[in-house]
Amino acid sequence: MNGPARMMERKSRMKVPSFDLKEQNQKLKEDLFRAIEEVVLSGQFILGEVVEEFEKAIAAYCGVRHAIGVANGSDALYIALVACGIGPGDEVITTPFTFFATAGSIARAGATPVFADIDIITFSIDPREVERKITHRTKAILPVHLYGLPADMDPLNEIARKHNLKVIEDAAQAIGAEYRGRKVGALGDVACISFFPTKNLGAFGDAGMIVTDSDEIADKCRILRVHGSRKKYYHEMLGINSRLDALQARILLTKLKYLDCWTERRRQIATRYSDKLAGLRGIALPVEPEGYRHVFHQYTIKVEQRAALKEFLSTHGVSSTVYYPLPLHLQKAFEGLGYRRGDFPKSERASEIVLSLPMFPEMRDETVDYVAGVISDFLKRSDTSAK
Ligand SMILES: *Cc1c(COP(=O)(O)O)cnc(C)c1O
């Protein structure tokens, strides 16, 4: 075997998961175990002081006055919507190219999700499409900072101001991301964060947070997460049980200290991918428009021959993921909304060509190079076979 062939032989045994927390948890083990021990010995497991401390830390991190810890990101969306006074008969404009919970929460609040197509370069809701969807029933716009890139908030806020609408950010994938100098969470009326374990700041189970500068919205959220009661056993509103566990809050407080480092490393990995993949025919790379700070929850490329590339990566030990294979307007659960294939061509197109590459802060440079090398081999091969 010659040098390069031997190298391929060795390389072909590399196993690259999409995401892996083992190394991070191993490194933080002492801190995390001490944090857990502290809560166990305190005997306070739901809400309480530790949760309040974490709420304050997240509010400060996002640059807003209030943070309300809840059980998960989906509940955060539902509670934020209800706190904004949204319910049956109301319409909320959102993107069809997102995780189900975005629109699922609108429907759960009794309102109607109204979809508006995306800009296929950034994957974010297109403000011009939003404006076309406004009716006398529209109450809010719910943009998603997909993959960690903020949506184009200035025009969205402008539309909202003009039509007296609320703006609710789905910041589940984007904690720490910035838009024109401000962090997500501080870009609308209220924002929702998820601490699902695979998110950029992940709990050891489900957890979520609502952040807002509005006293009124914050007050309603605080009540809604405890069955709508301010005073125990007296209920002002129809709320739910959606409280943040002290264990999760304590773990997240421990991890929050590292978030900016992890984000920086995600950005380095993204830059390295982009450098290695630049100029290759047949793929489009993620963008970071001027004035935006992407936190690369995902590094998502667009590739025509997605199925073939995914398979090729897999035979070389590399996992890759499709977020999301079916836009929400075509989901069976939303059949009743009456949308059809063809209604949102860019979202439909995105769902056919997106592919997210392995991305987690502990990924080594060599691993990034290996993944990029496999993609490059695939594209060069299919480029010559096309000639
Ligand atoms: C993860 C996610 C949610 C839901 O968060 P959970 O904590 O899993 O309920 C909502 N929206 C988007 C865009 C997400 O990625």
Side-chain angles (χ1 to χ4, degrees):
M1 237 189 293
N2 60 17
R6 202 176 314 118
M7 202 159 140
M8 275 316 287
E9 177 73 8
R10 181 174 57 79
K11 274 173 150 187
S12 67
R13 281 199 297 266
M14 204 158 186
K15 269 255 170 279
V16 189
S18 287
F19 181 77
D20 188 358
L21 275 177
K22 284 194 289 291
E23 187 179 325
Q24 183 178 107
N25 289 340
Q26 186 63 38
K27 269 193 222 155
L28 299 186
K29 198 171 76 176
E30 315 275 303
D31 273 8
L32 290 166
F33 286 1
R34 205 172 317 115
I36 291 166
E37 183 178 23
E38 196 184 288
V39 175
V40 170
L41 297 178
S42 82
Q44 170 73 46
F45 296 112
I46 292 171
L47 297 178
E49 259 173 48
V50 175
V51 170
E52 279 167 32
E53 189 187 338
F54 181 54
E55 288 174 339
K56 286 205 180 83
I58 291 295
Y61 185 83
C62 293
V64 295
R65 290 194 299 134
H66 305 284
I68 301 97
V70 294
N72 55 69
S74 308
D75 280 0
L77 286 163
Y78 167 80
I79 291 173
L81 284 155
V82 176
C84 286
I86 289 153
D90 298 335
E91 294 176 354
V92 178
I93 302 174
T94 194
T95 162
F97 190 62
T98 175
F99 178 57
F100 180 78
T102 310
S105 308
I106 298 169
R108 200 174 143 207
T112 305
V114 172
F115 296 117
D117 212 353
I118 56 167
D119 170 334
I120 196 145
I121 308 287
T122 59
F123 304 112
S124 296
I125 196 165
D126 183 340
R128 289 165 303 184
E129 297 294 324
V130 170
E131 192 135 39
R132 294 179 43 215
K133 294 297 175 117
I134 291 172
T135 71
H136 66 283
R137 291 178 186 270
T138 310
K139 286 286 162 59
I141 308 171
L142 207 172
V144 179
H145 307 312
L146 200 71
Y147 306 143
L149 180 71
D152 192 5
M153 296 303 288
D154 280 350
L156 293 173
N157 280 322
E158 181 57 30
I159 293 166
R161 203 190 46 78
K162 205 161 86 190
H163 298 272
N164 195 24
L165 312 174
K166 289 277 195 279
V167 175
I168 302 164
E169 299 171 71
D170 183 339
Q173 302 186 357
I175 188 167
E178 291 173 24
Y179 176 84
R180 306 202 198 290
R182 274 185 302 150
K183 284 227 165 68
V184 305
L187 301 172
D189 291 286
V190 55
C192 303
I193 300 170
S194 166
F195 304 113
F196 185 79
T198 59
K199 300 285 158 87
N200 286 23
L201 179 62
F204 288 177
D206 280 306
M209 188 79 80
I210 302 159
V211 292
T212 179
D213 248 339
S214 156
D215 296 343
E216 190 193 333
I217 293 173
D219 182 60
K220 287 211 174 106
C221 291
R222 279 190 200 287
I223 302 176
L224 285 164
R225 72 174 167 180
V226 287
H227 293 296
S229 97
R230 194 183 304 275
K231 188 173 157 200
K232 227 174 181 182
Y233 308 121
Y234 293 84
H235 302 267
E236 310 174 17
M237 294 176 83
L238 195 57
I240 58 174
N241 169 7
S242 183
R243 300 165 303 205
L244 181 59
D245 288 345
L247 268 171
Q248 302 302 350
R250 192 64 192 78
I251 287 159
L252 289 163
L253 262 171
T254 303
K255 293 177 74 172
L256 179 60
K257 296 198 284 280
Y258 302 92
L259 178 61
D260 287 341
C261 278
W262 292 332
T263 299
E264 202 39 59
R265 179 60 192 151
R266 282 176 183 271
R267 290 175 55 79
Q268 277 174 6
I269 293 168
T271 303
R272 196 167 183 99
Y273 269 137
S274 292
D275 287 348
K276 305 268 161 187
L277 297 172
L280 289 169
R281 286 158 52 113
I283 59 168
L285 306 178
V287 297
E288 182 181 60
E290 183 76 37
Y292 290 61
R293 184 177 162 87
H294 199 319
V295 293
F296 290 98
H297 172 59
Q298 299 296 340
Y299 183 92
T300 304
I301 61 171
K302 291 188 277 253
V303 54
E304 213 61 55
Q305 305 182 63
R306 182 178 68 189
L309 174 59
K310 196 171 191 312
E311 176 61 27
F312 190 81
L313 281 164
S314 168
T315 59
H316 289 80
V318 179
S319 294
S320 60
T321 317
V322 174
Y323 303 108
Y324 297 91
L326 188 65
L328 300 189
H329 67 289
L330 301 176
Q331 297 285 348
K332 188 159 189 296
F334 287 134
E335 229 169 34
L337 296 176
Y339 291 106
R340 296 213 179 95
R341 192 168 284 280
D343 284 346
F344 304 105
K346 290 171 187 162
S347 298
E348 291 167 22
R349 179 103 183 95
S351 70
E352 288 161 5
I353 60 177
V354 289
L355 190 65
S356 297
L357 305 183
M359 170 60 84
F360 51 97
E362 291 71 30
M363 236 183 124
R364 302 263 186 282
D365 283 350
E366 306 87 83
T367 316
V368 179
D369 295 353
Y370 171 69
V371 175
V374 174
I375 294 171
S376 164
D377 287 349
F378 172 84
L379 290 170
K380 284 178 184 152
R381 187 183 294 193
S382 54
D383 205 30
T384 40
S385 68
K387 274 179 198 144

